Amino acid sequence: GAGVSQSPSNKVTEKGKDVELRCDPISGHTALYWYRQSLGQGLEFLIYFQGNSAPDKSGLPSDRFSAERTGGSVSTLTIQRTQQEDSAVYLCASSPGSVIRGTEAFFGQGTRLTVV
Amino acid sequence: SQQGEEDPQALSIQEGENATMNCSYKTSINNLQWYRQNSGRGLVHLILIRSNEREKHSGRLRVTLDTSKKSSSLLITASRAADTASYFCATDRNSGGYQKVTFGIGTKLQVIP
């Protein structure tokens, strides 16, 4: 597609339920990032993919959070047993992933997750 | 601590004034980028400066990079109300053979008409 696409754009869920957030990166981009942003706060790094592998998962806040990427393309961020503190905007970005091809990150519009 | 830290965290100026935001980082980098975010949604790329460059201009934006001090600044000249947004710096560096982009916490700029 023309840009990074995230779905759903908004999600309201009950505490304790599992949620899946989807990211469709720009075709051909090998690097994919997930960030979380609470209201009025900065970007909190969650996980970084290069192709299908995740060399850096250091930002995942707990074992309730997991992410995968298949076919070097679509990525899914799963939050199990959601808690109210998980409420935030979840942002996905992709980039070509190399100095030669470019490292500019292109962002989706995010998924606003509200846990009630 | 986090690679790429901006200061100030919040800045309020009058329309027409210049706005300067700073970014510091800790490890060596390939490039440094600045992004803008409106309304808490996706970030938009503004400008990239390479590690061998010292200054770069794009319209009303001027970016400087001092690799000896591991710092960068973003200057917005003749600010407008529409410049009100959050601004983030991002560094990219080698990580396990790949290029990883890391963002700072951002500066919230308010331009008062």
Side-chain angles (χ1 to χ4, degrees):
Chain A
V4 178
S5 177
Q6 290 188 247
S7 60
S9 56
N10 289 283
K11 176 73 176 178
V12 180
T13 189
E14 291 181 354
K15 179 181 172 181
K17 300 281 190 186
D18 298 352
V19 294
E20 280 191 355
L21 312 180
R22 178 186 169 104
C23 174
D24 279 279
I26 292 173
S27 178
H29 281 191
T30 59
L32 186 147
Y33 305 82
W34 282 99
Y35 297 91
R36 178 169 74 173
Q37 188 175 36
S38 300
L39 186 61
Q41 301 300 308
L43 293 175
E44 178 187 0
F45 168 78
L46 297 178
I47 189 168
Y48 156 63
F49 287 93
Q50 186 65 236
N52 288 337
S53 64
D56 190 344
K57 305 179 184 179
S58 62
L60 294 176
S62 75
D63 59 7
R64 296 186 296 105
F65 287 73
S66 63
E68 64 175 14
R69 189 180 185 192
T70 55
S73 180
V74 172
S75 177
T76 304
L77 177 68
T78 302
I79 308 173
Q80 295 177 311
R81 304 181 303 281
T82 52
Q83 304 294 313
Q84 287 185 329
E85 60 264 28
D86 299 334
S87 296
V89 175
Y90 289 80
L91 291 164
C92 174
S94 71
S95 87
S98 71
V99 172
I100 293 174
R101 296 173 60 227
T103 56
E104 176 185 342
F106 294 80
F107 279 80
Q109 288 303 298
T111 294
R112 186 179 300 278
L113 175 66
T114 304
V115 182
V116 297
Chain B
S1 58
Q2 191 171 16
Q3 176 89 331
E5 296 183 4
E6 294 89 335
D7 76 271
Q9 293 194 11
L11 179 62
S12 183
I13 60 173
Q14 295 290 327
E15 198 166 32
E17 293 180 340
N18 295 340
T20 300
M21 290 162 272
N22 302 299
C23 169
S24 61
Y25 57 93
K26 291 180 168 53
T27 62
S28 61
I29 62 172
N30 293 313
N31 305 307
L32 187 141
Q33 305 175 46
W34 285 91
Y35 289 76
R36 167 188 168 130
Q37 183 184 39
N38 293 340
S39 305
R41 288 292 191 160
L43 280 68
V44 175
H45 183 263
L46 294 176
I47 194 166
L48 179 151
I49 185 165
R50 301 188 189 285
S51 59
N52 61 355
E53 297 177 316
R54 293 296 166 259
E55 189 170 311
K56 200 160 183 180
H57 297 252
S58 176
R60 293 184 295 113
L61 304 180
R62 181 186 138 209
V63 170
T64 62
L65 179 63
D66 187 336
T67 52
S68 66
K69 295 181 180 177
K70 292 187 168 59
S71 68
S72 172
S73 67
L74 172 67
L75 168 68
I76 303 175
T77 60
S79 64
R80 305 167 183 168
D83 295 328
T84 295
S86 291
Y87 293 83
F88 294 83
C89 74
T91 54
D92 71 74
R93 58 191 173 89
N94 293 325
S95 176
Y98 300 102
Q99 298 302 313
K100 181 184 172 186
V101 178
T102 305
F103 286 82
I105 59 174
T107 294
K108 291 180 188 175
L109 173 66
Q110 181 184 24
V111 181
I112 302 167

